Structures are given as structure tokens and as C-alpha cells.
Amino acid sequence: MTPLDSTAVPPHVVVVGGGPGGYEAALVARSHGAQVTLVEQQGLGGAAVLTDVVPSKTLIATAEWMTIADRAPELGIRMPDDVVDPLSDVDVSLATGGIPVVSAYGAPALGGAGVQAAASAAGTAEEKRKHFVDLQAVNKRVLALARAQSADIRGRLEREGIRIIAGKGRLDGPARVVAELADGTTEVLEAESILLALGATPRTLPTAVPDGERILTWTQVYNLRELPERLIVVGSGVTGAEFAGAYNALGSDVVLVSSRDRVLPGEDEDAAELLEGVFRSRGMTVLSRSRAASAVRTDDGVEVTLSDGRVVHGSHVLVAVGGVPATSGLGLEEAGVRLSETGHIVVDRVSRTSVRGIYASGDCTGVLPLASVAAMQGRIAVAHALGDAVQPLALRTVASNIFTAPEIATVGYSEEKLRSQNSRFITTTLPLARNPRAKMLGVKDGFVKLFAHPEAGVVLGGVVVAPRASELIFPITLAVQHRLTVEDVASAFTIYPSLSGSIAEGARVLDARVGN
């Protein structure tokens, strides 16, 4: 980092948008000694914190507990109503001489009134212990955590001396931002550098207009007071799959409408097929090659009509068909900022737009809709704007994660990409069912897949399908980032037993094949 000359007047950097691509940029600009003003209409953290990433992942984390509870009987953990009458498991004889007979579960077997008393106690315990989903309480906690995270971000920015304006920012030429405040007044901000972190909004269908009650976008689900009895999810991309899995785990009957051959069409094929199989095994209905034509309310729910004429009935429908960049009506084109056909801001690898001094980051650029990418774009942008040397964004090293159960994490080149560009590579896939730690945890679904160069042995990419795959992908990310070989990964210590042990094992398998 090269700080600015302390004797010079610090440049003014204006950031429009307070999401990860905005507030991270503001912090970097301030650390370089710039005067920084951030304009945000919705709240610090933007949609990522308030209506998207933080709320959805909190909801999914809650649903994960239900998934874990479903596996409990396999580990020997039972609710009172699951315990079989001990007398049915053990042949009780009068020859016991009054010695208590031990049941198959290791508890004293009771007879007569004892059985009735135990059953009564079990019923009372069941009423006290049996879990159910209080969706109103869940959503209250989800939104409270989002607000708390937003407040933490605000506090950090204020401590760093960054000025925050609550309002809508728009361009007025290449070096000026007009902030429209809630009271109807405006404030003009002259800037040496401008960063646009405008985000995106849920894409809607004209034939399925959201009403916030029965027909929902992913920003509206947190207003629900009761668990949907039958939720129809339109869209089987990342957002659709995540919400479908979460509500299925929480107890809703879920129908997932997918216009493609399988869920998660843009992801690793083996991972997507495994997840779809898990979805179906958990009772979810997956309608493949089915496109939703419309959704309308009925007296007691919704009807979703498919393009082939079939009608699916449900209590609610969630429309998850992607996002739209929030770039219209903000003076971008008038200022000379070039937009793509989809309305995204066109940027280069250091986040420069077509106008000198104006940069952009995050979902409004269409580069990769990840909070981590938005933050990196923002950091690179302002560092470049203030004259610091930067490393251009390299998407090959970006790790991404889908928060389903199991999670799907990827980094580096995908198998499809390697094949499409006729790259030479070797690969191995290790099922988690072979991993001793996975066996202890009752985890059966998942795998670790690695790709490497057949002669150099350099790790090219990887896929992890597992609980907490978002954590397990990190060593593979390091390997891809620093061009480590499978020998490097194989020779590193791992804990025994651990899920990460499968990563080292996969590397050992590939290392034995390098050069052969």
C-alpha cells in the first residue's frame, strides 16, 4: 500500500452503494488517506447483509439443525416415542428372580404398571422435547442478525472516519454524484474517483408478479409468519436450490421446478446429480425440464402453470430466476458509462468502467455474483484509483459455495471447462462414505474431487460436496492460488480422523499418477 502525500489535499472518493463491494472499497480508500463519502439508501451491508446473503444463510443454518436431527436415530439418539417397548425385545422369564431384565437399549425392562408409567413419562417428555419450527421466531432472529451485522459495518466505517449519507446516489456527469435524501433534498458531491456498487434486485416474471404474501421473491420470504405447507420453488439455480433445500429441511412439502435436465445446471455435474438425488430422497418433488409459465393466487394458495399446460398447486410460490442489475435511472449512460445488453456495467479486471475515474464492483458488473468477488473488486478498484499497484482480478482462484445440505464448494477450473478447452488433466473422486470421520458423523452423501496437470502435477481445481464444504475447500483454494502440486498437498499433515483427510488422500492418488 502506498499512502498519499500527507501534505497534499486528500482526494475525495465517493462510493455509491454500501454492500460488500462498496464498504470494503470505502475502507481501503480511507486506509490510503483519501476523504471518503459513502451513499447508501437501504442500509449498510446492502442487499447482501439485509435481504440476501446473511438472512438466507442464517435461515439455511437453522434448517441444517433439522437435517442433523433427522440423522440422530442412525447414531443411536432417539426421541421417547421412538423407543420400542423393552418387553418386545427381551424374553422376560419368571426365573429372573426379581432381577431387572436389561432391554436391548441398556435400560431396565419394566412390566405391567411399570410399562404404563414409563409410557406416560415418555409422553410427557415427548411433549417437552419434540422440536418444531416456529417460523415467526426463526425469521425474527434472521432479520435481527442481519440488522446487527449492518450496525457492525456502520460502526466500523464511522470509526475509520468515513462519512455516510443515507440516500439514493446517481451520477451527474463523470465526476459528480447527487445524493437524493429521504426528506426530498439533494446534496452534490464532487469526486476525484467514484465507485459504483449498485447491486442487483430479484428478477420477476410478468406472469408471476410478487405480492409478498403468496407469490414471493427471496427478499420477501422473511415476512412469512408460518411455514409454507407446500412451497413451489421456480428456478433450480443456486438460490432456488438453497431455499428449496432449506424449506424442505424445515418441514415444508417442496416442489422444485427446473427448466433444465437437472438442478444446478451450471455446476459440477456429479455434484448436481448427487444433490438432486438427496433432494428426492428427502421427499422433495423435482420437476425437471419444466418451465413455469405463470403463477396466480387462489382462494387458499397458488397455482403455477407450466409451459406444457400442467398445473401445480401449492400454498406459496418462490420465484428464484436470477437477478437484475440495479443500474437504470441513475445517470450512468448519460455520464458515458457503458452498459451491456443485460444492463450490467462493463468493467475490466481492475474494475474500471468506460469513463476515467469511475469504477464499479459487485453484482451490477455481472462478473460473478458473489459477495467475496464484489469485495475484492471494490478493494482493487479504489487501490488502483489512488495509484497503488494492484493484482488484477483472477476468477480462476475464486472459491464459491452453494449452501445446500450437503454443501457444494468449487475452486479453479471445472471439469467441464477443462474438457471444453481440450486441456490435459487427471482427476480422482473420493466418496465421503469411505472417510472415517464421515462415518462417525453419519455422513453418507458427498465426495472430494481434484483435478491436476498430468505431468507437472499442479492442482488445477477441485470440488467438495460435504457438510461445511465452504470450510473444506480452503486448502484446495490455497493450492490453486499458489500453484501447488498434488505432491505438495499429499505431503502435508492432516488430522486423523478428519474430513480434510480425504483431500490429502485424493492428492496422494493423483500424485501416484503424475507422469505416468
Side-chain angles (χ1 to χ4, degrees):
M1 181 179 72
T2 305
L4 298 171
D5 182 355
S6 60
T7 63
V9 177
H12 187 198
V13 175
V14 175
V15 177
V16 182
Y23 73 76
E24 288 280 357
L27 289 168
V28 171
R30 191 73 188 98
S31 71
H32 279 67
Q35 175 190 355
V36 184
T37 302
L38 187 149
V39 183
E40 167 59 40
Q41 183 179 23
Q42 184 179 14
L44 273 300
V49 168
L50 295 171
T51 60
D52 191 357
V53 180
V54 171
S56 66
K57 276 45 176 181
T58 306
L59 178 73
I60 290 165
T62 304
E64 184 180 4
W65 282 100
M66 301 292 282
T67 304
I68 294 171
D70 288 342
R71 292 206 311 266
E74 300 177 18
L75 308 181
I77 301 171
R78 295 174 174 83
M79 298 294 287
D81 58 337
D82 294 328
V83 178
V84 180
D85 180 357
L87 297 181
S88 67
D89 293 336
V90 180
D91 186 13
V92 181
S93 171
L94 293 177
T96 59
I99 300 175
V101 177
V102 178
S103 75
Y105 296 112
L110 303 175
V115 172
Q116 295 177 359
S120 176
T124 303
E126 177 188 6
E127 292 173 0
K128 292 179 180 179
R129 291 174 54 195
K130 191 161 186 175
H131 56 264
F132 69 95
V133 175
D134 181 348
L135 192 65
Q136 189 172 350
V138 169
N139 284 338
K140 182 178 180 181
R141 176 177 179 267
V142 164
L143 296 176
L145 286 175
R147 288 192 296 269
Q149 181 66 16
S150 178
D152 287 345
I153 295 169
R154 172 177 286 276
R156 171 76 188 284
L157 296 177
E158 290 176 341
R159 287 193 298 272
E160 296 295 333
I162 296 168
R163 185 186 177 209
I164 301 168
I165 296 178
K168 180 179 181 180
R170 59 178 173 83
L171 291 182
D172 183 20
R176 183 182 297 115
V177 171
V178 176
E180 300 175 351
L181 309 184
D183 61 5
T185 62
T186 61
E187 182 176 347
V188 177
L189 304 167
E190 304 288 347
E192 280 75 26
S193 300
I194 297 171
L195 175 75
L196 303 172
L198 306 174
T201 58
R203 179 171 170 255
T204 59
L205 303 175
T207 55
V209 180
D211 60 11
E213 295 178 353
R214 295 285 183 175
I215 304 175
L216 308 161
T217 69
W218 69 75
T219 66
Q220 297 171 328
V221 295
Y222 311 108
N223 296 324
L224 293 174
R225 300 175 67 86
E226 295 180 352
L227 194 67
E229 183 178 345
R230 192 167 201 247
L231 178 65
I232 304 168
V233 178
V234 176
S236 63
V238 174
T239 301
E242 287 184 344
F243 276 107
Y247 278 102
N248 176 247
L250 290 172
S252 292
D253 179 17
V254 175
V255 179
L256 181 59
V257 179
S258 173
S259 63
R260 308 291 285 274
D261 291 342
R262 55 179 171 84
V263 301
L264 299 173
E267 301 300 322
D268 180 85
E269 185 174 353
D270 293 334
E273 288 181 356
L274 184 149
L275 183 66
E276 184 169 331
V278 170
F279 278 173
R280 294 181 186 276
S281 71
R282 291 175 180 165
M284 187 187 301
T285 301
V286 180
L287 301 178
S288 302
R289 297 180 294 279
S290 301
R291 187 177 297 277
S294 65
V296 295
R297 288 189 63 159
T298 62
D299 291 340
D300 59 351
V302 294
E303 286 183 352
V304 175
T305 302
L306 305 182
S307 56
D308 61 7
R310 287 177 294 166
V311 177
V312 183
H313 299 272
S315 61
H316 300 75
V317 58
L318 170 61
V319 180
V321 289
V324 178
T327 55
S328 62
L330 300 179
L332 273 62
E333 291 177 292
E334 292 81 355
V337 176
R338 186 160 69 92
L339 303 180
S340 68
E341 292 182 0
T342 57
H344 292 94
I345 300 173
V346 178
V347 296
D348 62 12
R349 291 177 61 201
V350 294
S351 298
R352 288 178 295 193
T353 71
S354 55
V355 178
R356 182 179 178 86
I358 299 181
Y359 295 73
S361 64
D363 289 0
C364 66
T365 67
V367 172
L368 200 58
L370 296 173
S372 58
V373 172
M376 183 63 75
Q377 283 182 294
R379 290 192 290 263
I380 291 173
V382 293
H384 184 273
L386 296 172
D388 201 1
V390 297
Q391 187 76 27
L393 182 68
L395 295 181
R396 185 181 65 84
T397 61
V398 173
S400 63
N401 192 70
I402 301 171
F403 290 85
T404 47
E407 295 179 4
I408 300 174
T410 57
V411 69
Y413 289 111
S414 67
E415 187 166 9
E416 181 181 2
K417 180 68 173 178
L418 290 168
R419 292 188 189 283
S420 66
Q421 61 188 21
N422 295 319
S423 298
R424 296 180 63 243
F425 68 98
I426 52 177
T427 182
T428 187
T429 302
L430 276 69
L432 274 191
R434 289 171 40 181
N435 181 285
R437 180 66 170 166
K439 293 175 183 177
M440 297 171 191
L441 296 170
V443 174
K444 300 176 182 177
D445 301 309
F447 61 79
V448 171
K449 181 191 289 188
L450 296 175
F451 312 114
H453 191 278
E455 276 115 25
V458 174
V459 178
L460 301 174
V463 182
V464 177
V465 182
R468 299 292 191 274
S470 51
E471 313 292 344
L472 290 170
I473 198 67
F474 187 59
I476 306 177
T477 302
L478 286 176
V480 172
Q481 173 81 36
H482 297 288
R483 301 187 61 80
L484 302 182
T485 66
V486 286
E487 182 181 9
D488 293 328
V489 177
S491 61
F493 277 100
T494 58
I495 301 297
Y496 182 87
S498 67
L499 297 181
S500 59
S502 289
I503 297 173
E505 183 182 352
R508 287 191 289 271
V509 171
L510 289 183
D511 187 37
R513 294 168 53 190
V514 170
N516 296 327

